[in-house]
Amino acid sequence: MDLQEKIELITRISLDLNQVKDLDILLERILANVRLFLNADAGSIYLKEGDRLRFSHSQNNTLQNIIPFPDYDQPLVIHFASNAGLAIERAQATRNTLLRMISMAELRDPKETGAHVNRVGAYSVEIYEAWARAAGIPEEDIEHNRDLLRMAAMLHDVGKVAISDIILKKPARLTIDEFEIIKSHTWLGAGLFKDGQSDFDSVAMEVALNHHEKWDGTGYPGLNDEINELHNKLFPGEDTSHTAKKGKDIPLFGRIVAIADVYDALCSQRVYKKPWDEYEIINEIKKSSGRHFDPDIVAAFFRCYDILKNISQKYPDHQ
Ligand SMILES: [Fe+2]
Ligand SMILES: [Fe+2]
């Protein structure tokens, strides 16, 4: 690469970084780009926390072929670093705002811990990617959707801020009426994003509204009057005559977060249950294919299953 090409590359990369919203995806992207630029096979990112450096991300293809870079790269690298620094600050601010929204939901429902939402976000992205590659979705769309879905999936239960503590923290089984109230966290959560104009808002709305729908049409909230009203505002002219969402009527990101959320619940300890063992979990997911879950999404889940297991170690419940 000559100097002209490098300047062009750095400009393109800097513009690209400003489009990314999610912090982890941004850090991955920065590292991949800077390695491309410097022709380096490995790299690490450290984030400054107070006066310490915290190891954050690392990529390593092989340990060979590390080529020393020429002197004239240095100003370009400094320029890139200052752009990347700004992009990181912006992504951290967005992430912090979302984490505060999540903490509000967590204050209401102690099951919705930071670790749980991080895992559901990370699982969803991997399952989406496995699905999208098989479906032949263009690389650019995959990257874009990964970014949006990660944060949207983290907010799947944000509607619980509107549900009474008396119900969410009830130590006994819920009555039918109480369960009806719980169901409203889906469309109440979706309502938080309904006036938004951004791609992120529409993905977050899709996830919040649909993550309890089931492939066979037995999930919720379906389309009752209140939801129809909201739905008509959001998607004018679309058919809402049916009362349950079924199969591919359930939007894709809802179908993906549904399996990520259930998988995490099965793996986790709850007041009323122990974590299931791996054999039982795999069986349950397989059994639910075509009933609770979209069979294509279940297939994608198993294609990335090893990565999902690694993610659960990255975000343990008690740190
Ligand atoms: Fe939920
Ligand atoms: Fe959840």
Side-chain angles (χ1 to χ4, degrees):
M1 228 186 293
D2 65 20
L3 186 59
Q4 178 66 29
E5 282 169 338
K6 286 199 166 183
I7 291 172
E8 277 169 19
L9 176 66
I10 223 98
T11 311
R12 192 168 48 70
I13 291 171
S14 299
L15 285 174
D16 180 53
L17 292 186
N18 282 309
Q19 309 294 318
V20 180
K21 293 186 182 69
D22 179 71
L23 182 61
D24 283 322
I25 290 173
L26 178 69
L27 293 171
E28 272 174 33
R29 196 83 63 92
I30 288 172
L31 198 49
N33 280 323
V34 88
R35 285 175 50 220
L36 174 75
F37 181 74
L38 294 175
N39 203 6
D41 268 18
S44 301
I45 291 191
Y46 292 82
L47 292 180
K48 193 165 167 282
E49 262 182 13
D51 44 7
R52 287 160 168 258
L53 287 179
R54 185 173 62 79
F55 177 72
S56 171
H57 275 63
S58 176
Q59 294 172 354
N60 191 345
N61 287 352
T62 65
L63 290 172
Q64 299 144 13
N65 296 335
I66 298 181
I67 298 167
F69 51 92
D71 275 353
Y72 64 72
D73 278 350
Q74 215 179 346
L76 290 180
V77 172
I78 292 170
H79 172 77
F80 174 78
S82 88
N83 268 319
L86 284 176
I88 290 172
E89 272 177 29
R90 184 181 42 77
Q92 278 174 325
T94 309
R95 170 74 68 95
N96 286 340
T97 304
L98 295 176
L99 287 176
R100 280 182 203 119
M101 285 176 81
I102 290 160
S103 306
M104 287 193 292
E106 191 182 333
L107 291 174
R108 288 289 184 168
D109 186 351
K111 289 192 295 299
E112 289 302 304
T113 63
H116 166 69
V117 295
N118 268 310
R119 288 189 303 257
V120 171
Y123 296 150
S124 300
V125 164
E126 293 303 330
I127 298 166
Y128 165 71
E129 194 171 339
W131 171 87
R133 297 220 182 279
I137 307 293
E139 192 61 35
E140 228 179 274
D141 293 357
I142 295 180
E143 285 294 318
H144 182 62
N145 286 332
R146 271 173 57 98
D147 184 39
L148 301 177
L149 180 58
R150 166 87 188 218
M151 291 190 300
M154 288 174 78
L155 286 163
H156 64 280
D157 267 345
V158 73
K160 284 191 177 163
V161 292
I163 309 286
S164 158
D165 276 5
I166 300 165
I167 298 176
L168 287 176
K169 294 183 179 157
K170 188 178 171 185
R173 218 185 158 78
L174 297 180
T175 64
I176 290 174
D177 287 348
E178 286 167 340
F179 190 59
E180 281 307 312
I181 294 173
I182 288 273
K183 287 179 179 177
S184 68
H185 81 275
T186 49
W187 55 270
L188 288 168
L192 292 176
F193 306 102
K194 75 174 191 302
D195 295 323
Q197 303 291 318
S198 72
D199 289 358
F200 171 71
D201 290 319
S202 69
V203 175
M205 192 181 71
E206 182 174 319
V207 167
L209 187 60
N210 297 294
H211 70 281
H212 288 288
E213 294 290 359
K214 295 184 180 175
W215 182 254
D216 64 5
T218 60
Y220 68 86
L223 296 167
N224 63 27
D225 288 345
E226 278 148 327
I227 294 156
N228 274 338
E229 202 185 308
L230 176 65
H231 193 273
N232 285 335
K233 271 191 219 150
L234 300 171
F235 310 105
E238 230 182 64
D239 172 35
T240 56
S241 53
H242 49 301
T243 51
K245 274 186 235 166
K246 209 175 165 172
K248 294 218 160 99
D249 284 352
I250 307 163
L252 173 70
F253 296 132
R255 282 179 267 143
I256 290 174
V257 176
I259 190 167
D261 195 25
V262 168
Y263 172 63
D264 197 60
L266 296 177
C267 296
S268 305
Q269 172 125 18
R270 296 275 159 98
V271 194
Y272 50 88
K273 75 168 224 353
K274 283 198 159 65
W276 289 22
D277 72 35
E278 193 176 356
Y279 175 78
E280 290 174 307
I281 293 169
I282 290 176
N283 256 347
E284 179 63 24
I285 303 273
K286 281 188 180 156
K287 236 175 44 198
S288 305
S289 177
R291 290 148 91 172
H292 189 158
F293 307 128
D294 175 351
D296 286 348
I297 304 291
V298 172
F301 172 94
F302 284 111
R303 284 199 297 279
C304 63
Y305 182 65
D306 286 342
I307 304 176
L308 303 182
K309 280 205 298 188
N310 283 338
I311 291 169
S312 68
Q313 285 157 12
K314 189 172 168 198
Y315 301 106
D317 270 318
H318 303 290
Q319 295 186 9

